[in-house]
């Protein structure tokens, strides 16, 4: 492993207890996590089979396993690293007798893939369309798919039209169909595991005994259910927990991630040791400075100030446009200006439909031109990636920020977009005739 910085070394030193590492964009979060895992194995005398690493994607889990193997070789083979859902599945399979008797399965169920899950829900709803007074099918699907979406003020409106009970009936039909097919979905894995651990003290203690050290990657994405699971598998009196994340990059509120756990860590773990990684090894100074300035507009956040390790020399440029046609022309102009230059390049946007419009325009306007290494994706999809040059499209109050979303989460999404860039950043900012720039267009202007 490359030599650790002083910040990374302090954060990853061996030892127990609860540790939070607030790792800013490009500061070596994964490197620090890997270093902590190897330190636990090498210096704390804890066997790899007693270490549990939880992530939010299979790709991240595989990267962690691979990098630990590179560092310590065969010793890493017992390490358990996976997603929250894969961990739940492994527990249910391990205690399949308890699980099957508790929930009435004769054989262990198979896990539904997401596409098949949606097909089952749609099939149930197709025979009930008259119940939903013309509400679009995809909206009703989302209500059946996710009970949390029917809470709060929306529930009152659904009650008013007598729809709450009909949605509940459709959800019961979905549960019955899963039971008939002997299948479970990802939400079931979490629900059944939480119930088993909460209601069976013997299993709970056995899991705690085995998972002597728990580490969590991307801790800012932790949901209340994820946090309940952590509480159940951690020793109550002397927990060993190491978590890394960055609340400034928390962009999955629609999946119920809750930045309270990272912003108010000491509320949940009063003795937590908190470290900050603030040296950005990815982006040049001008990009880091702009990103810092943007996120300071959020009131609910941890306090830190990132500095560029690479120094000055970055290019940041705003392109002021009126309408989509000018935006497309601006993007084409940027790409033309980069013809023949080496380096990775990405166009980022808030919604997939923007990408389809930009792609069609470029295909017609620049047949065979766009660089072969150009990538186009949503900002959410770009999380964890980096590019030499980034173009952020659609900075307008109608799109980014999305007016239906929490403004602070939208600002964190904008922050993620900015911090994907290593050397060069282009911002396509909209304004109408005689109108002001959008809120982010203004916040990204020069002071």
């Amino acid at each position: 492993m490359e030599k650790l910085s002083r910040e990374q070394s302090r954060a990853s030193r061996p030892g127990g207890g609860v540790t939070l590492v607030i790792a800013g964009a490009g500061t070596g979060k994964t490197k620090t996590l890997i270093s902590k895992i190897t330190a636990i194995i090498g210096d704390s005398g804890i066997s790899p089979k007693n270490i549990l690493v939880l992530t939010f994607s299979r790709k991240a889990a595989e990267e962690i396993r691979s990098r630990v193997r590179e560092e310590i070789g065969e010793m890493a083979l017992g390490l358990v690293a996976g997603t929250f859902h894969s961990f739940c599945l492994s527990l249910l399979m391990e205690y399949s007798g308890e699980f099957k008797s508790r929930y009435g399965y004769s054989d262990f169920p198979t896990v539904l893939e997401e596409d098949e899950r949606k097909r089952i829900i749609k099939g149930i709803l197709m025979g009930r369309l008259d119940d939903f007074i013309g509400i679009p099918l995809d909206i009703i699907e989302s209500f059946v798919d996710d009970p949390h979406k029917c809470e709060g003020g929306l529930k009152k409106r659904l009650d008013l039209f007598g729809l709450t009970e009909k949605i509940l009936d459709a959800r019961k039909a979905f549960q019955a169909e899963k039971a008939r097919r002997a299948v479970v979905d990802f939400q079931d894995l979490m629900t059944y595991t939480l119930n088993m651990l909460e209601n069976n003290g013997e299993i709970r203690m056995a899991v705690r005994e085995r998972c002597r050290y728990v580490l969590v990657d991307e801790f800012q994405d932790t949901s209340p259910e994820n946090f309940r699971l952590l509480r159940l598998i951690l020793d109550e009196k002397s927990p060993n927990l190491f978590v890394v994340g960055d609340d400034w990059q928390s962009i999955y509120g629609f999946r119920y991630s809750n930045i309270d756990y990272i912003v108010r860590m000491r509320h949940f773990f009063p003795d937590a040791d908190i470290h900050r990684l603030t040296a950005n090894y990815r982006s040049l100074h001008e990009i880091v400075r702009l990103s810092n300035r943007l996120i300071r507009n959020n009131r609910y956040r941890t306090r830190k100030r990132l500095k560029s390790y690479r120094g000055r020399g970055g290019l940041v440029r705003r392109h002021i446009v009126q309408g989509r046609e000018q935006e497309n022309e601006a993007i084409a102009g940027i790409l033309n200006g980069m013809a023949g230059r080496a380096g990775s390049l990405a166009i980022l946007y808030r919604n997939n439909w923007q990408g389809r419009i930009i792609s069609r325009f470029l295909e017609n306007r620049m047949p065979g031109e766009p660089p072969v290494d150009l990538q186009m994706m949503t900002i959410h999809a770009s999380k964890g990636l980096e590019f030499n040059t980034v173009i952020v499209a659609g900075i307008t109050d109608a799109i980014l920020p999305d007016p239906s979303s929490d403004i602070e989460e939208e600002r964190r999404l904008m922050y993620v977009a900015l911090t994907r860039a290593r050397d060069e950043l282009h911002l396509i900012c909209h304004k109408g005739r005689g109108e002001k720039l959008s809120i982010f267009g203004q916040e990204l202007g020069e002071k």
Side-chain angles (χ1 to χ4, degrees):
M1 181 181 287
E2 299 173 41
K3 186 178 179 181
L4 298 173
S5 70
R6 184 178 299 176
E7 286 182 337
Q8 293 166 344
S9 181
R10 280 201 300 259
S12 62
R13 63 192 172 201
V18 177
T19 299
L20 162 65
V21 180
I22 303 172
T27 59
K29 168 183 69 67
T30 306
K31 180 179 174 182
T32 304
L33 178 63
I34 300 300
S35 178
K36 180 66 176 183
I37 295 170
T38 59
I40 295 170
I41 296 172
D43 299 321
S44 299
I46 296 178
S47 169
K49 68 181 182 181
N50 296 127
I51 299 172
L52 171 64
V53 185
L54 293 172
T55 72
F56 289 89
S57 74
R58 294 175 187 172
K59 181 180 177 183
E62 179 52 42
E63 180 187 1
I64 289 168
R65 284 194 295 268
S66 175
R67 289 179 61 173
V68 173
R69 278 197 301 270
E70 289 175 6
E71 291 297 315
I72 61 174
E74 294 295 310
M75 285 182 65
L77 294 178
L79 178 70
V80 180
T83 66
F84 278 84
H85 288 117
S86 69
F87 173 69
C88 289
L89 176 60
S90 68
L91 277 187
L92 294 176
M93 293 177 71
E94 181 179 356
Y95 297 100
S96 60
E98 165 76 9
F99 168 68
K100 288 186 292 185
S101 64
R102 181 179 289 272
Y103 296 106
Y105 288 97
S106 55
D107 297 306
F108 196 88
T110 56
V111 181
L112 268 180
E113 292 297 331
E114 195 61 23
D115 289 346
E116 181 62 18
R117 183 175 190 272
K118 290 183 180 299
R119 275 194 290 271
I120 294 174
I121 294 175
K122 184 172 285 187
I124 290 169
L125 292 176
M126 288 302 290
R128 302 168 180 241
L129 291 181
D130 290 344
D131 290 347
F132 297 107
I133 56 175
I135 298 176
L137 181 62
D138 60 336
I139 293 178
I140 297 299
E141 276 184 54
S142 71
F143 291 161
V144 174
D145 183 58
D146 186 352
H148 297 295
K149 290 186 177 177
C150 300
E151 296 173 352
L154 178 59
K155 185 179 185 304
K156 293 180 180 178
R157 281 182 280 169
L158 293 171
D159 286 343
L160 185 63
F161 292 100
L163 294 176
T164 303
E165 189 172 340
K166 291 173 181 176
I167 291 170
L168 183 60
D169 287 343
R171 196 174 295 135
K172 287 178 180 176
F174 176 48
Q175 293 296 118
E177 181 63 15
K178 285 190 290 184
R180 187 187 72 78
R181 296 185 182 211
V183 296
V184 291
D185 57 26
F186 288 118
Q187 180 56 51
D188 294 329
L189 296 178
M190 179 65 72
T191 301
Y192 292 150
T193 301
L194 289 173
N195 288 343
M196 183 174 72
L197 290 172
E198 286 171 342
N199 295 305
N200 190 313
E202 187 176 336
I203 293 177
R204 185 170 64 249
M205 294 309 295
V207 173
R208 286 179 177 176
E209 181 64 27
R210 184 170 66 228
C211 302
R212 293 177 56 196
Y213 217 123
V214 180
L215 302 95
V216 184
D217 190 21
E218 303 286 5
F219 187 62
Q220 76 277 355
D221 296 336
T222 303
S223 71
E225 285 187 332
N226 299 147
F227 196 74
R228 273 176 65 197
L229 182 66
L230 288 175
R231 284 292 205 190
L232 286 166
I233 63 178
L234 288 170
D235 186 281
E236 290 182 12
K237 293 183 179 178
S238 55
N240 289 323
L241 175 68
F242 182 89
V243 301
V244 293
D246 182 14
D247 59 294
W248 292 9
Q249 298 182 74
S250 179
I251 58 174
Y252 292 108
F254 61 93
R255 294 182 191 166
Y256 307 108
S257 64
N258 189 334
I259 65 170
D260 276 0
Y261 303 124
I262 191 168
V263 175
R264 303 176 64 220
M265 186 68 168
R266 287 203 175 111
H267 170 78
F268 302 100
F269 297 100
D271 298 325
D273 191 15
I274 298 178
H275 297 265
R276 288 171 172 79
L277 304 184
T278 59
N280 181 306
Y281 297 92
R282 176 188 301 151
S283 306
L284 288 166
H285 167 78
E286 292 77 6
I287 296 168
V288 173
R289 180 182 61 184
L290 180 67
S291 306
N292 283 339
R293 198 173 72 217
L294 174 83
I295 204 66
R296 281 203 299 270
N297 289 288
N298 273 7
R299 299 186 61 166
Y300 192 56
R301 57 181 171 83
T302 56
R303 266 41 181 186
K304 59 182 177 292
R305 184 177 182 84
L306 265 61
K307 295 181 180 179
S308 172
Y309 179 82
R310 298 177 60 210
R312 296 179 179 272
L315 173 67
V316 176
R317 185 178 174 192
R318 282 192 314 167
H319 305 258
I320 310 301
V321 301
Q322 293 181 333
R324 200 161 294 135
E325 185 175 334
Q326 285 190 18
E327 173 172 80
N328 289 336
E329 291 289 349
I331 292 172
I334 296 166
L335 296 180
N336 278 325
M338 298 185 64
R341 286 170 50 186
S344 55
L345 167 64
I347 301 175
L348 306 181
Y349 34 79
R350 180 67 174 79
N351 303 303
N352 278 312
W353 61 262
Q354 295 171 266
R356 290 192 289 271
I357 292 172
I358 295 169
S359 182
R360 281 197 298 267
F361 174 83
L362 293 179
E363 287 170 5
N364 294 327
R365 179 80 156 68
M366 307 174 68
E369 178 77 0
V372 290
D373 57 356
L374 170 63
Q375 296 188 57
M376 298 176 59
M377 66 188 75
T378 64
I379 302 172
H380 283 97
S382 76
K383 178 76 169 60
L385 303 178
E386 60 181 66
F387 309 91
N388 293 99
T389 300
V390 168
I391 302 170
V392 185
I395 304 175
T396 164
D397 288 340
I399 300 174
L400 181 62
D402 185 321
S404 65
S405 298
D406 172 68
I407 185 62
E408 295 215 343
E409 175 144 331
E410 290 294 299
R411 194 174 281 113
R412 293 193 294 268
L413 187 65
M414 187 76 233
Y415 176 83
V416 167
L418 302 181
T419 55
R420 298 314 92 198
R422 287 174 48 80
D423 308 319
E424 195 167 315
L425 179 63
H426 295 269
L427 308 167
I428 314 296
C429 302
H430 290 243
K431 75 170 182 177
R433 297 184 185 280
E435 296 178 6
K436 291 182 179 179
L437 282 169
S438 66
I439 183 170
F440 289 171
Q442 295 177 54
E443 291 176 0
L444 293 167
E446 288 298 321
K447 294 291 184 184

